[in-house]
Amino acid sequence: MGLEIRDVRAICTAPEGVNLVAVKVETNEPGLYGVGCATFTHRYLAVVTAIEEYLRPFLIGKDPANIEDIWQSAMGMSYWRNGPVLNNALSGVDMALWDIKGKLAGMPLYQLFGGKCRPGIPCYTHAEGADAEQTLERVEALRERGYRRIRVQVGGYGGKNPNLHRPEHPFPGGYFDPKAYMKNVLELMEKLRVTYGDSLEFCHDVHERLAPIDALNFAKALEPYHLLFLEDILQPEQTAWFHPIRQQCATPLAMGELFNNPHEWTSIVSARLIDYIRVHVSQIGGITPARKLVAFCDAYGVRTAWHGPIDMTPIGHAVNAHLDISSPNFGVQEWADSFSGLYPTLNGPLMREMFPGMPEYRDGFLYLNENPGIGVMEALDMSKRQTWGYKSQIFALDWSYFGWLMLASLPTEPPSGRDKQGGCYAEIQSKSAVSGEAPV
């Protein structure tokens, strides 16, 4: 009997209070398995269902070496395709199959992609503050940790303005003022350049919070500050506005965090309307389509800057790094706040313990280990849906907004009385990491 897929499992955990989904693909060869990231935080149970009820029966008995054929078959088998749920489910499997291939070859994944293009991976992380002074303090803290590329934010996405003039009986929500937001960011950039000159590179995330005409004016106003890039300045539905933005300013642009479908990036890349592609690798279906996207972008002079947020397993971060180190058109890599040491509610050491083998940060760069495959070892009890008592959350995190004036309020407390498939919200618990005990 040849090598076959024996089982496929979806594993949920939330060690930082953020829903994560990992996938384990087991083979009929004892001890040979692969792991992948399938995290779609806000709809994680839908991803789990897609993996366990649809992909698992389809995959059992197949040869894990046939990655391209499996990817194409799984993508088309549902007929309707290229949505965030099914793409993330397929990504978890796809990454796990590449992990298996690397283990069979006895090589780290980047070697299968052609080897290293660079010894280390330049990265950036986030300095976020309620006001400019707090952001500046965090920039300095990151600089002391070796970062030379930093994303800066002030007042939250969109810049909430408590003094905004409102009508009677306003709907509940977190209102923000685009004009005040842009003014605050420009003032922050001025202070940063006065303080640091050109010794640091800064980027900023609009997070699709501006009307297209405001986005155009904002990009023009930021030109004197020579950003590394301006991120997600438009909604995915408004990418036609990149044409006038590109025609009128030279601020480098990054786009793609919300992309699912190749049609969303094909036109803006081929027209050279952006400088960095920012897709979330699991959101587009995993390593197999990401490698094709790298080659496509390379033909048009567009660099990669993969999405690297806290709502991604360290498996996903490692996959980003393997793509980064082997891609000729790599630009920069986002590194999650979990590992910067600035935000006490996040727990990078615990994440490293639960996912040993993830990339290491040193003095502004990320470094991969030389373990075969993705290189992230199995520390989770992959036979259980939740691990070490870190339950996944079920509550409605609403990122929607109406027009460009209102961001729907996020819940300060999760709804009570819900405990399906891993439970409701679990407080972040400090694990007895040294002793290896699981929290209760």
Side-chain angles (χ1 to χ4, degrees), residues 207-230:
H207 222 261
E208 312 96 27
R209 291 293 192 265
L210 292 175
I213 191 62
D214 287 334
L216 168 58
N217 286 316
F218 189 45
K220 290 169 65 175
L222 284 166
E223 271 191 294
Y225 303 107
H226 304 291
L227 296 188
L228 175 62
F229 59 69
L230 184 60

Side-chain angles (χ1 to χ4, degrees), residues 68-374:
E68 183 70 34
D69 181 65
I70 288 174
W71 193 92
Q72 295 290 346
S73 300
M75 174 59 74
M77 65 183 288
S78 63
Y79 189 56
W80 283 279
R81 65 199 83 176
N82 278 316
V85 172
L86 295 180
N87 280 6
N88 272 284
L90 179 53
S91 166
V93 170
D94 183 72
M95 291 181 186
L97 296 180
W98 278 102
D99 192 26
I100 291 170
K101 189 173 288 288
K103 291 174 179 176
L104 286 170
M107 295 180 178
L109 202 58
Y110 72 82
Q111 292 287 14
L112 302 185
F113 300 161
K116 289 183 179 181
C117 292
R118 55 196 56 83
I121 301 162
C123 66
Y124 72 92
T125 193
H126 312 152
E128 305 174 0
D131 52 36
E133 287 67 33
Q134 186 177 42
T135 301
L136 282 162
E137 290 174 4
R138 288 177 171 169
V139 166
E140 179 58 23
L142 291 174
R143 189 192 67 80
E144 292 174 356
R145 288 167 167 81
Y147 286 96
R148 294 297 179 266
R149 303 162 188 86
I150 301 170
R151 195 189 83 178
V152 291
Q153 308 289 142
V154 60
Y157 293 129
K160 294 179 182 177
N161 180 4
N163 299 316
L164 184 68
H165 185 62
R166 306 182 189 188
E168 296 178 357
H169 311 298
F171 296 140
Y175 290 79
F176 66 88
D177 182 345
K179 303 298 183 185
Y181 156 69
M182 291 185 284
K183 178 177 179 290
N184 290 338
V185 173
L186 290 168
E187 290 175 353
L188 171 64
M189 291 299 178
E190 180 67 23
K191 292 177 180 178
L192 288 167
R193 285 302 178 214
V194 168
T195 303
Y196 294 103
D198 294 325
S199 64
L200 300 179
E201 292 189 272
F202 299 108
C203 51
H204 176 74
D205 185 4
V206 175
H207 222 261
E208 312 96 27
R209 291 293 192 265
L210 292 175
I213 191 62
D214 287 334
L216 168 58
N217 286 316
F218 189 45
K220 290 169 65 175
L222 284 166
E223 271 191 294
Y225 303 107
H226 304 291
L227 296 188
L228 175 62
F229 59 69
L230 184 60
E231 177 186 344
D232 285 347
I233 196 170
L234 297 168
Q235 300 173 66
E237 298 83 3
Q238 298 294 339
T239 54
W241 276 83
F242 275 119
H243 287 276
I245 293 173
R246 195 59 140 185
Q247 290 166 353
Q248 296 188 44
C249 83
T251 297
L253 302 172
M255 184 67 182
E257 180 177 321
L258 295 182
F259 286 172
N260 301 283
N261 189 311
H263 288 294
E264 293 174 300
W265 63 71
T266 300
S267 61
I268 62 173
V269 169
S270 61
R272 299 175 174 88
L273 297 178
I274 60 173
D275 301 278
Y276 296 87
I277 188 71
R278 279 272 304 149
V279 301
H280 189 103
V281 170
S282 70
Q283 190 87 350
I284 66 169
I287 293 168
T288 296
R291 293 185 67 225
K292 297 172 184 178
L293 180 55
V294 168
F296 178 69
C297 289
D298 190 31
Y300 294 98
V302 173
R303 290 175 282 182
T304 64
W306 308 118
H307 192 217
I310 60 173
D311 51 320
M312 174 186 287
T313 69
I315 301 165
H317 288 295
V319 165
N320 284 347
H322 281 284
L323 292 166
D324 296 335
I325 209 164
S326 60
S327 299
N329 55 322
F330 162 75
V332 68
Q333 179 58 56
E334 181 178 25
W335 192 230
D337 291 328
S338 303
F339 314 112
S340 70
L342 286 188
Y343 303 97
T345 58
L346 301 175
N347 195 335
L350 174 59
M351 294 288 280
R352 289 190 182 90
E353 183 179 348
M354 293 180 71
F355 296 89
M358 63 177 293
E360 291 291 332
Y361 169 82
R362 294 193 296 275
D363 196 30
F365 295 86
L366 300 176
Y367 296 92
L368 283 161
N369 62 53
E370 293 298 311
N371 294 331
I374 293 173

